């Protein structure tokens, strides 16, 4: 998979997790148009590489972040003026 596609999927997954009511892995997969295995791989990447607190909330039966936050992947410059 191309790097840009992975970055795009991470961003989509992040937005869905912030919302917190997308549902189970099957619903996530449907929303992203990927397999459930890909969803679990994305969750693992978010947890391992970004230390994102991805959890499954049994009461809402949905994946979400354990605490509020988001993944930031952007080019940022410092203004030295």
């Amino acid at each position: 998979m191309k790097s840009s596609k992975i970055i795009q999927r991470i961003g989509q997954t992040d937005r869905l997790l912030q919302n917190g009511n997308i549902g189970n892995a099957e619903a996530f997969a449907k929303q992203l148009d990927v397999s459930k295995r890909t969803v679990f791989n994305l969750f693992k990447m978010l947890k391992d590489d970004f230390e994102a607190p991805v959890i499954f909330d049994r009461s809402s039966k949905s994946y979400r972040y354990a605490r509020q936050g988001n993944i930031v992947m952007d080019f940022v410059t410092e203004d030295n003026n």
Side-chain angles (χ1 to χ4, degrees), residues 4-62:
S4 60
K5 192 68 161 175
I6 292 170
I7 291 168
Q8 179 185 17
R9 291 234 172 100
I10 288 171
Q12 291 171 322
T13 303
D14 176 56
R15 284 188 293 281
L16 292 171
L17 288 167
Q18 287 178 54
N19 191 15
N21 62 359
I22 193 65
N24 60 18
E26 189 173 329
F28 245 96
K30 210 175 264 191
Q31 186 73 24
L32 294 173
D33 195 28
V34 299
S35 69
K36 283 193 332 184
R37 173 58 29 215
T38 298
V39 168
F40 290 126
N41 288 337
L42 286 164
F43 289 166
K44 182 172 177 20
M45 189 181 307
L46 289 174
K47 289 176 182 180
D48 294 349
D49 298 341
F50 296 95
E51 298 180 10
V54 178
I55 62 165
F56 183 76
D57 184 344
R58 292 184 191 274
S59 64
S60 65
K61 298 179 181 167
S62 184

